[in-house]
Amino acid sequence: MTTLSSSQMPQQQQQFSSLDAYLATLPGWTGTDERSNHLIHSLFRSFTDLSPAAHAEKITFWRNVISEAASRRLLGDHVSAFDAKGLESKFKRRGLAPLGLDVVVSDMIRTQDLVPLAQYRNEISWGSWAVSTLVKAPLSWGYAQVTGKKSKFTALENQYVVAETVKREADAFLSEFYQEAHYGVDHVLRVEDFQSRLADACAAQLNGTRPSKLDIDLVQTYLKASGKAVFSVDPNHPDEGIVKVRPAQDKSSSTLIITETDRGIIKLRRTVHMLHLQVEELETRIFNLTKQAKDRVRVGQKERALYFIRQKKGVTELLKKRIASLETIEGIIGKIEGAESESEVLAAYQLGSSSLASFMSTSGLTVDAVDATMDKLQDTLADQAEINDAIESGQNAIIGSTVDTDEIEEELEQLLEEERAVSWPAVPTAPLPSKAIPSAGKNASATTNYAALDAELDDMLSEEMNQSSKRKASAQPLGA
């Protein structure tokens, strides 16, 4: 009998839309000539009708096909596991199913190429599954399958893990991970970051085929059981899990432990991640508020433009504080990354903790302060109608104390100056009239402030007009 060697199997990088498409690439599978029919006939016959040589060749052929099909996600929803129930019917050819695939699966279990899923996921029995009753007596088990004698184990009624695929995925992840791990602290990750990087590495190794959640879980099980990684996940807070990967240069068999220093590093990184998100959000708000101010100037709504400018100033101040905090914490992480020993890491982390505690203390950001603020907000909302006037006067007081009014007025004046500088049909070219304000006491200062705001508004409008003129000029056809 002529069968396929491993070198004749389709290449790993080739993609197939279905199992039938993959099988069609096997020599003789779709052929109708006498040689093809003879080849397939011998692969589909019962093992009891085969010579010892044909028996071995059939075993080899179907082992390769099952492993390849599973790793291409053609036997189910996973690349490293499949359900053997109905396996023979999946490989039907012209209405006929191959006989004896239970013997093939049994042989793959004997050689540890397949592992029953329940045993693989059981951390207690993971390391000792190879000495199970099934593996201890492969000859008698195989004989029972071939001769038709009853067995307590039914090979095609279980789910299996393709051990080699799991190992290949884990090795691909570790190879890429070690290339990017330049410091000791780089070996500690958030669970979500670990799983994302693992999925990317597996997809690259499998030519774009994304691993399923089960595939990810199986690789995690392998890494943990082989001592290459340790996981710490709180069921009540799964998003706060930690993963520590054993360094490449660590060849010891010592137990990998997640220390309090590791947990502190993860907390700092979570804070950095949160601050980056806040900075992006604040930058977007500043952009939108600037646009809204310009839009209001364009239609002559000076007071509304002033409102948006004041909002922008407040958000800008908050952005500066967030960026300062981000730089501080990233600097702490940088010091930790540069540390050469565990004691230096601990000292840097303690310095970081002290710095953060000092920052929170001096900024007044405490639990009591937040609770007090929220209580005041609830009281305000409960009787909003009664305190409308108080809110308005309070806002004026806050604006006067925390925002540079002269700067706001200057920005408004710039917007208005832009308005005057460019011809715009919908807006008068003359300066906008200012309110008559008494020149004595506070009112004299207010007059100056509004002049500055007018100037900022003029500048903003002038910029808008210039951009509009450029757009109109670029839209005109050549030679016009």
Side-chain angles (χ1 to χ4, degrees):
M1 181 180 94
T2 302
T3 185
L4 294 177
S5 65
S6 59
S7 61
Q8 292 175 297
M9 301 299 290
Q11 295 299 310
Q12 176 71 15
Q13 64 268 25
Q14 188 174 356
Q15 294 295 301
F16 299 97
S17 59
S18 66
L19 179 60
D20 288 338
Y22 163 69
L23 295 174
T25 64
L26 304 181
W29 189 272
T30 58
T32 57
D33 57 281
E34 182 178 351
R35 183 175 180 276
S36 296
N37 288 335
H38 176 73
L39 170 62
I40 299 301
H41 176 68
S42 59
L43 294 174
F44 276 56
R45 292 170 61 187
S46 170
F47 278 98
T48 57
D49 300 330
L50 299 177
S51 65
H55 181 285
E57 289 180 343
K58 178 176 178 177
I59 287 284
T60 300
F61 173 84
W62 284 112
R63 284 172 61 99
N64 290 335
V65 169
I66 291 173
S67 296
E68 284 286 317
S71 66
R72 298 172 188 275
R73 193 182 274 179
L74 299 176
L75 297 183
D77 298 326
H78 319 291
V79 296
S80 55
F82 67 94
D83 191 341
K85 187 175 183 179
L87 186 64
E88 292 178 334
S89 63
K90 293 179 180 179
F91 291 106
K92 278 186 177 181
R93 178 180 181 271
R94 299 177 185 173
L96 297 178
L99 302 177
L101 290 191
D102 52 344
V103 178
V104 177
V105 171
S106 300
D107 187 71
M108 296 178 74
I109 296 174
R110 178 182 64 82
T111 58
Q112 303 182 16
D113 292 299
L114 292 183
V115 184
L117 178 60
Q119 294 183 11
Y120 197 96
R121 301 182 77 173
N122 189 333
E123 296 179 8
I124 297 177
S125 64
W126 193 91
S128 60
W129 72 270
V131 295
S132 65
T133 302
L134 301 179
V135 180
K136 282 183 177 179
L139 296 180
S140 60
W141 179 26
Y143 176 78
Q145 298 293 330
V146 173
T147 59
K149 292 183 179 180
K150 292 184 178 180
S151 172
K152 293 182 180 180
F153 179 82
T154 304
L156 299 185
E157 292 294 332
N158 288 273
Q159 294 176 307
Y160 296 99
V161 176
V162 185
E164 181 58 30
T165 300
V166 176
K167 183 178 183 302
R168 192 163 62 241
E169 292 174 336
D171 289 344
F173 164 74
L174 290 175
S175 176
E176 182 176 313
F177 178 82
Y178 288 143
Q179 290 179 7
E180 300 177 0
H182 304 297
Y183 304 98
V185 294
D186 290 340
H187 294 79
V188 184
L189 305 89
R190 301 184 303 163
V191 165
E192 53 266 40
D193 293 336
F194 166 81
Q195 292 181 342
S196 176
R197 293 177 63 174
L198 176 57
D200 291 342
C202 291
Q205 198 276 329
L206 297 169
N207 196 30
T209 302
R210 301 293 296 181
S212 66
K213 186 178 184 302
L214 175 61
D215 294 323
I216 297 296
D217 290 343
L218 292 175
V219 175
Q220 290 184 188
T221 300
Y222 171 81
L223 291 173
K224 182 177 181 180
S226 60
K228 297 180 179 179
V230 62
F231 299 80
S232 176
V233 181
D234 184 352
N236 298 324
H237 303 283
D239 57 332
E240 297 182 3
I242 301 175
V243 181
K244 187 173 185 178
V245 180
R246 186 181 296 276
Q249 64 274 17
D250 183 0
K251 305 299 182 182
S252 69
S253 58
S254 59
T255 302
L256 207 56
I257 299 176
I258 295 177
T259 66
E260 287 303 314
T261 300
D262 297 330
R263 298 182 187 278
I265 291 169
I266 292 299
K267 288 181 180 179
L268 289 176
R269 285 180 172 165
R270 285 200 177 97
T271 303
V272 167
H273 177 70
M274 178 192 68
L275 287 173
H276 274 296
L277 294 178
Q278 291 183 1
V279 166
E280 291 176 2
E281 180 184 355
L282 291 172
E283 289 174 340
T284 301
R285 288 176 60 187
I286 290 173
F287 174 82
N288 291 335
L289 287 169
T290 302
K291 181 179 181 300
Q292 289 174 310
K294 290 183 178 181
D295 290 343
R296 295 301 179 177
V297 169
R298 195 175 300 123
V299 296
Q301 295 181 356
K302 176 179 175 180
E303 293 299 328
R304 292 292 291 168
L306 285 171
Y307 169 77
F308 289 122
I309 292 174
R310 286 193 293 266
Q311 292 288 312
K312 188 189 77 170
K313 295 299 181 183
V315 175
T316 300
E317 290 300 316
L318 183 57
L319 176 61
K320 291 179 181 178
K321 293 179 181 179
R322 292 293 182 267
I323 291 178
S325 300
L326 182 59
E327 291 175 347
T328 299
I329 298 177
E330 286 184 335
I332 293 170
I333 294 178
K335 290 181 179 296
I336 295 175
E337 289 176 342
E340 296 296 332
S341 67
E342 186 69 19
S343 60
E344 289 176 322
V345 170
L346 181 59
Y349 173 61
Q350 290 174 340
L351 174 62
S353 299
S354 301
S355 299
L356 289 176
S358 175
F359 171 79
M360 294 177 65
S361 176
T362 56
S363 65
L365 184 60
T366 64
V367 175
D368 291 338
V370 173
D371 288 341
T373 301
M374 295 307 296
D375 289 340
K376 292 179 181 179
L377 178 60
Q378 291 176 357
D379 292 338
T380 301
L381 294 177
D383 199 5
Q384 183 177 1
E386 181 180 348
I387 60 171
N388 276 339
D389 294 339
I391 290 177
E392 183 177 354
S393 61
Q395 285 178 335
N396 292 334
I398 293 174
I399 292 171
S401 60
T402 62
V403 180
D404 189 339
T405 307
D406 291 339
E407 186 178 349
I408 293 178
E409 292 173 349
E410 182 179 352
E411 185 172 349
L412 180 60
E413 184 62 31
Q414 290 174 353
L415 285 174
L416 293 175
E417 188 64 31
E418 294 173 9
E419 169 96 3
R420 303 186 191 100
V422 180
S423 177
W424 189 259
V427 181
T429 57
L432 294 176
S434 58
K435 295 182 179 180
I437 302 176
S439 58
K442 292 183 179 179
N443 292 334
S445 176
T447 301
T448 302
N449 291 341
Y450 271 105
L453 288 173
D454 286 345
E456 185 167 355
L457 277 174
D458 282 346
D459 287 344
M460 291 180 68
L461 187 57
S462 177
E463 179 184 353
E464 181 67 26
M465 300 305 103
N466 289 334
Q467 292 177 356
S468 177
S469 298
K470 291 179 181 179
R471 287 196 295 269
K472 289 181 179 179
S474 62
Q476 292 181 353
L478 295 176

